Amino acid sequence: MKKKFFVFAMVAVMVLSTAVLASADELEELIAAAKKEGKVVVYSVTSRIHLAAEAFQEKYGIEVEEHRLSEVELVERVYQEARAGVNAVDLVLIEDYPSIKELLIQPGYLTNYVPPAARDAVDEQYHDPLVFAYISRITGYNTEVYPEDPFDSIWDLTTPEFRGRVMIRDVAITGEHQNALTELIRRSDEIEAEYERRFGEKLVLREENAGLEFLRRLVENDLILMTSDTRISEAVGKKGQEDPPFGFYYVYSKHRDIPNKDLALDVSTNIKPFLGYYYGMYVQLATKANNPNAAKLFANYLMTPEGYEPWSSEVGFYSMNKNVEPHPDDMPWEWWKERLWTYDPDFAIANRGKVLDTWIRSVVQ
């Protein structure tokens, strides 16, 4: 028995060593080909791409031309350029998977690529599309006025106590909100059960399900529409307020500004039935990239701990590379995954129109 185990172990080591050598050879070939191209053009939804681009350029001597765009702008730009036959971009760091799946991946404008750095370090379930990181959106409150978490339920946000005091980035201009709010439809039974737990009575519907009813009541409670997560976090956390607002579904990464902006800000970990939602940021190659090897090399770099460093200093960003440690002031990804909701991409594609219709009708009433 021991002999068989020893033979099996030796075979496993040989296979692993061969794979490592193959990856090393592939990477060396990729570096040589990328340096011949000498340039990579990147579209990104995150401004920290600039820091990664500078480090990559210093490491490999390959020019990076990066463009920071909003999620809506990025999808639209790639879509319009591809349809017009303009091959301007090589690699994208992109959000809003339902939109990119429907508009960019299925027509063949973007191609998934799993670089050597991600093949073992990132679990296979995150390979297609390749997840660069997950991002959390949460509900926040002012700790100067509320020493303890003031929330018990998402339905609290529809009550008179919170009227005119809840801020959210406008759903009409935020694709990920549209996606995430479809989960309220898909899990409307849970939303309805939460209403009954919170108020001890049956929910009376005016919309077709409890999820859309919650959305309508949220808007009708004089919801404050914002265009920036930064402005939300600053408004909520500003010190010296008597009646501060609350932030709903803004990115948790904005809590990095607490020390330098002297904010009194914390995340609700008590609100039920979920604390917020998470969504992915994905690395994808342009199918007709002018610099495909440089794009692959930059994708490989981004998926390494070194390439991820510009995001390592923030809470609210969670690398899928198992070699990247969570931020020391944050909870590990597994903790958040259990407490945040996400959405089903195909369900979101089919139902985000309902969310947007309910949102617009409620806003204009």
Side-chain angles (χ1 to χ4, degrees):
M1 184 69 179
K2 290 182 178 179
K3 184 177 181 181
K4 287 183 178 180
F5 177 78
F6 176 76
V7 171
F8 175 80
M10 287 297 293
V11 170
V13 170
M14 289 174 63
V15 170
L16 180 60
S17 300
T18 302
V20 171
L21 289 172
S23 294
D25 289 343
E26 178 187 355
L27 186 58
E28 288 302 316
E29 291 175 3
L30 187 58
I31 292 170
K35 286 186 174 182
K36 288 181 181 178
E37 293 170 351
K39 179 180 179 179
V40 58
V41 180
V42 181
Y43 294 170
S44 171
V45 292
T46 166
S47 60
R48 294 194 171 236
I49 194 66
H50 178 70
L51 297 175
E54 285 187 333
F56 175 83
Q57 189 163 317
E58 183 176 347
K59 183 181 181 73
Y60 293 109
I62 296 171
E63 178 189 354
V64 182
E65 179 185 319
E66 85 268 4
H67 300 267
R68 164 73 167 86
L69 303 164
S70 72
E71 61 193 67
V72 175
E73 291 171 335
L74 202 159
V75 172
E76 178 70 13
R77 183 163 175 177
V78 174
Y79 177 71
Q80 294 296 349
E81 287 179 349
R83 289 191 66 193
V86 177
N87 304 322
V89 65
D90 300 312
L91 178 143
V92 296
L93 201 55
I94 193 168
E95 298 166 359
D96 192 357
Y97 182 58
S99 290
I100 66 175
K101 180 179 180 181
E102 187 174 29
L103 298 174
L104 304 179
I105 294 175
Q106 289 179 348
Y109 303 145
L110 293 181
T111 297
N112 194 62
Y113 169 68
V114 183
R119 289 173 196 162
D120 294 323
V122 176
D123 286 341
E124 192 172 347
Q125 61 180 311
Y126 306 122
H127 281 190
D128 191 7
L130 181 61
V131 180
F132 170 69
Y134 280 120
I135 303 164
S136 56
R137 287 183 175 270
I138 49 83
T139 300
Y141 62 94
N142 186 298
T143 55
E144 192 174 50
V145 177
Y146 299 93
E148 297 182 359
D149 191 338
F151 295 105
D152 176 56
S153 170
I154 61 168
W155 286 101
D156 290 343
L157 304 175
T158 68
T159 63
E161 179 184 353
F162 292 88
R163 186 172 185 84
R165 301 177 65 197
V166 179
M167 292 180 163
I168 187 173
R169 190 174 170 186
D170 191 350
V171 172
I173 62 170
T174 311
E176 287 297 359
H177 278 356
Q178 295 169 30
N179 297 329
L181 290 169
T182 65
E183 193 66 7
L184 302 183
I185 300 174
R186 197 172 75 89
R187 299 169 69 165
S188 60
D189 289 349
E190 295 178 58
I191 301 299
E192 187 167 2
E194 174 57 25
Y195 179 92
E196 294 177 8
R197 183 202 70 82
R198 172 65 177 81
F199 296 112
E201 61 185 29
K202 284 284 187 181
L203 174 63
V204 177
L205 295 177
R206 293 166 296 170
E207 299 293 334
E208 64 180 86
N209 57 66
L212 294 179
E213 182 66 29
F214 167 77
L215 184 59
R216 176 173 174 170
R217 294 190 186 193
L218 181 68
V219 176
E220 289 177 344
N221 208 33
D222 286 346
L223 191 65
I224 304 169
L225 305 187
M226 305 290 283
T227 58
S228 163
D229 288 327
T230 299
R231 291 177 180 175
I232 293 174
S233 62
E234 291 175 353
V236 173
K238 183 179 178 181
K239 291 183 177 179
Q241 302 184 75
E242 293 183 4
D243 196 22
F246 302 90
F248 187 53
Y249 280 4
Y250 67 96
V251 287
Y252 183 36
S253 61
K254 295 302 176 183
H255 284 217
R256 69 176 182 265
D257 295 328
I258 290 174
N260 60 304
K261 294 183 180 179
D262 193 28
L263 301 177
L265 186 63
D266 203 356
V267 53
S268 172
T269 57
N270 190 50
I271 195 167
K272 302 175 188 66
F274 59 100
L275 304 186
Y277 74 88
Y278 70 89
Y279 60 99
M281 183 181 293
Y282 306 94
V283 177
Q284 294 282 285
L285 304 184
T287 303
K288 295 185 178 180
N290 289 322
N291 306 291
N293 295 298
K296 289 179 179 180
L297 185 61
F298 193 48
N300 185 79
Y301 180 73
L302 288 173
M303 297 306 297
T304 64
E306 179 185 357
Y308 187 76
E309 279 185 8
W311 293 269
S312 295
S313 61
E314 295 186 8
V315 297
F317 271 89
Y318 310 95
S319 172
M320 292 302 100
N321 187 319
K322 290 176 282 189
N323 298 316
V324 175
E325 294 292 328
H327 191 280
D329 294 331
D330 202 347
M331 300 300 290
W333 168 241
E334 291 75 17
W335 188 92
W336 283 108
K337 190 176 182 181
E338 291 179 0
R339 293 164 174 80
L340 299 172
W341 282 8
T342 191
Y343 55 83
D344 177 89
D346 293 326
F347 188 87
I349 289 171
N351 290 277
R352 58 191 278 169
K354 291 181 181 179
V355 166
L356 196 54
D357 175 67
T358 302
W359 175 263
I360 292 172
R361 280 193 290 103
S362 302
V363 166
V364 300
Q365 283 180 353

